[in-house]
Amino acid sequence: MRRFVLASILAAAACGGPQIPTHNGYKSEKVKPWKKPKTLVWDEKGETKADGELSYPDMRRARWYAFELPAPGEVSLKLEVNPPGDAVNEDFDLAMEVLDPGYRVISKADAEEEDVGELTKTRNLLDLQPGNYLVHIYLQGRMDSADYVLRASYKRAGSTDVKSDFPAQVAFLPALPMVPLNDDTPAKYKPPTSTPVVVKKPSGGGGSPKKPPPPKEEPAAPPATTKTARIIATSVSGGGTQITIGMGTAQGVASGWKAKIAGVQGTFPLNCDERKCTASVSATADQVKAGGGTVTLSP
C-alpha cells in the first residue's frame, strides 16, 4: 500500500510541471526547410512584409524566406516579435540570420548579439550584389513560441528621388562656320611632299647588331599603410553601431587596426577574421551611412 501511494505522488509531480521537448523542433530529422523558402516579392515602393507563428514544442521551430535582388543595392530588415504572455523561458529570444547567394551568413541577430532579448531587431545590409538571398528566423529555447512580423525594404544603388530637368540645362550649339558648296581650292595648289627617312644598317663585320641595355628596374614602392574598404552591414550595438567591413586578414588587415569613418569623430579598433572585420562605432547608423559607406583602415 505504501509503495502504491509513493508511486502515485511521483506520477502526479511528474505531470504537474512543464514537459520540455526532447526533439530538435522539426517534424523530421531529414527535413530541409531552406530548400523550399517562402519568396518575398517587392512592391512598387521596394517593400515587402511577412508574418507567422512559431512553436518549438509543436515542431514549428523555424521559417525560411527568400528575396531576389535584380541589381546592386541595400536592404533593411525589421523583425517585430510578440512572445506569449506566459512564456516559460525568461531568456526568450527570437533569432534571425541572413545568407548571401553563396549560403554564407552575412548578418545575424541571435543570443550572441548585444540586442538579444529585444522585441524589435533591425539590420541594414549595404553593397549587396544581385542574386538570391535567404532569411532564417528561428526559436532558440525548447519551450519557446512566438508570433512575428518581418518587414523589408530594398533600394537600388545610386537611386535618388531627384527629378531630371533635361534638356533645360543643355547648352545651345555655337554658330558654325559656313562651308561653300563648290571647292574653292586654288588650281595651282600642290600639297606638300614628305621626305622619307632612310635608316642605314651597319656594313661589314658579319655580326648582329648589339642589343640595347635592359631598362633599369625602379625600386618597388613601400606597402601602403592605410586601406579603404566598404561597410557591408550595420547593426545596433548598445549606445552605438556595430559595422561589418568587407575586408579581412586575407587582404592584409589584422585585429587591432583602427577604423576611421568620414564625419565620425575618433578611431575604432577592429576584430578580424579571414573574410571580414567588425568594429563598434560611437555613432548612429545614419551617421555611419552619411560617411559614404566607406571606412579607412590603418595599423
Side-chain angles (χ1 to χ4, degrees):
M1 181 65 178
R2 291 169 56 185
R3 292 181 180 179
F4 175 79
V5 173
L6 179 60
S8 301
I9 294 174
L10 293 176
C15 296
Q19 297 297 318
I20 300 177
T22 59
H23 53 75
N24 63 358
Y26 301 94
K27 294 183 179 180
S28 171
E29 295 290 338
K30 299 181 180 180
V31 67
K32 297 180 179 180
W34 58 89
K35 294 292 185 179
K36 296 181 180 180
K38 181 179 179 180
T39 301
L40 301 177
V41 181
W42 306 108
D43 60 15
E44 63 275 8
K45 295 182 180 180
E47 298 177 350
T48 187
K49 172 185 174 184
D51 55 21
E53 300 178 359
L54 296 177
S55 174
Y56 199 115
D58 294 341
M59 298 184 179
R60 291 182 287 110
R61 179 185 181 185
R63 288 294 303 273
W64 287 80
Y65 298 93
F67 60 85
E68 182 79 17
L69 294 189
E74 60 183 69
V75 172
S76 297
L77 298 173
K78 182 178 182 182
L79 181 63
E80 301 173 356
V81 187
N82 181 27
D86 56 348
V88 177
N89 182 10
E90 295 180 357
D91 298 328
F92 169 86
D93 182 65
L94 182 62
M96 174 179 66
E97 60 183 9
V98 183
L99 290 76
D100 66 5
Y103 297 100
R104 296 179 292 266
V105 177
I106 59 175
S107 180
K108 63 178 181 177
D110 57 12
E112 298 179 357
E113 302 298 319
E114 293 190 5
D115 57 351
V116 58
E118 295 186 7
L119 300 183
T120 301
K121 300 183 179 183
T122 60
R123 293 294 183 269
N124 297 319
L125 310 177
L126 307 178
D127 295 335
L128 298 182
Q129 297 302 313
N132 188 58
Y133 292 76
L134 295 174
V135 180
H136 182 203
I137 300 176
Y138 59 97
L139 294 168
Q140 301 182 89
R142 291 181 177 271
M143 297 297 295
D144 291 345
S145 62
D147 300 340
Y148 66 89
V149 176
L150 175 65
R151 306 178 191 273
S153 62
Y154 163 57
K155 184 178 180 182
R156 289 174 179 260
S159 62
T160 61
D161 297 332
V162 179
K163 294 183 179 180
S164 174
D165 60 349
F166 180 85
Q169 300 298 328
V170 179
F172 289 97
L173 291 175
L176 300 177
M178 296 296 295
V179 179
L181 297 177
N182 299 323
D183 188 5
D184 58 350
T185 304
K188 297 182 179 181
Y189 173 80
K190 292 183 179 180
T193 58
S194 60
T195 303
V197 178
V198 179
V199 179
K200 294 183 179 181
K201 297 182 178 180
S203 59
S208 60
K210 295 182 179 180
K211 296 182 179 180
K216 296 181 179 180
E217 295 184 358
E218 297 293 335
T225 58
T226 61
K227 296 179 181 291
T228 301
R230 299 290 298 176
I231 300 174
I232 61 174
T234 61
S235 62
V236 178
S237 177
T241 302
Q242 179 172 304
I243 62 173
T244 302
I245 302 167
M247 184 177 290
T249 56
Q251 291 78 35
V253 183
S255 297
W257 278 41
K258 303 294 184 180
K260 174 64 178 175
I261 302 174
V264 178
Q265 294 184 354
T267 59
F268 312 97
L270 297 180
N271 184 15
C272 302
D273 59 23
E274 184 178 357
R275 295 185 291 108
K276 66 182 185 302
C277 295
T278 59
S280 295
V281 180
S282 301
T284 64
D286 292 336
Q287 290 174 328
V288 172
K289 186 176 180 181
T294 60
V295 61
T296 301
L297 310 178
S298 60

